[in-house]
Amino acid sequence: MTKKDYHVVPGQNGWAVKREGAERASSVHSTQQQAIDAGKKLAQTHKTELVIHRPNGQIRDSDSYGNDPNPPKDKKH
């Protein structure tokens, strides 16, 4: 089974949390921070990565909540 990361992306009605490969959003929120909080819980539960996008779609940040074979060198958390 391949892991399917969660993405926080801009949507028509606010910010959406979408699982990689899914057509529909897992949830939709009015602010990006609310979407990040919801996505973080899902990523922790499923031991995957949370990828946070900017309003233009560019990747802003990502956090890994599983067994990352290449852990980041930064110490932000």
Side-chain angles (χ1 to χ4, degrees), residues 9-25:
V9 296
Q12 290 180 316
N13 299 320
W15 289 87
V17 179
K18 288 184 76 172
R19 187 140 196 198
E20 221 167 83
E23 294 207 13
R24 295 186 339 184

Side-chain angles (χ1 to χ4, degrees), residues 2-9 16-26 42 46 48-53 59 62:
T2 60
K3 73 179 184 97
K4 301 230 179 198
D5 297 334
Y6 284 92
H7 294 257
V8 173
V9 296
V17 179
K18 288 184 76 172
R19 187 140 196 198
E20 221 167 83
E23 294 207 13
R24 295 186 339 184
S26 299
L42 288 168
H46 296 283
T48 61
E49 190 165 336
L50 177 65
V51 182
I52 303 163
H53 295 261
I59 293 175
S62 65

Side-chain angles (χ1 to χ4, degrees), residues 53-68:
H53 295 261
R54 295 182 188 278
N56 67 1
Q58 182 182 28
I59 293 175
R60 178 182 118 184
D61 197 7
S62 65
D63 291 317
S64 182
Y65 297 101
N67 295 324
D68 192 352

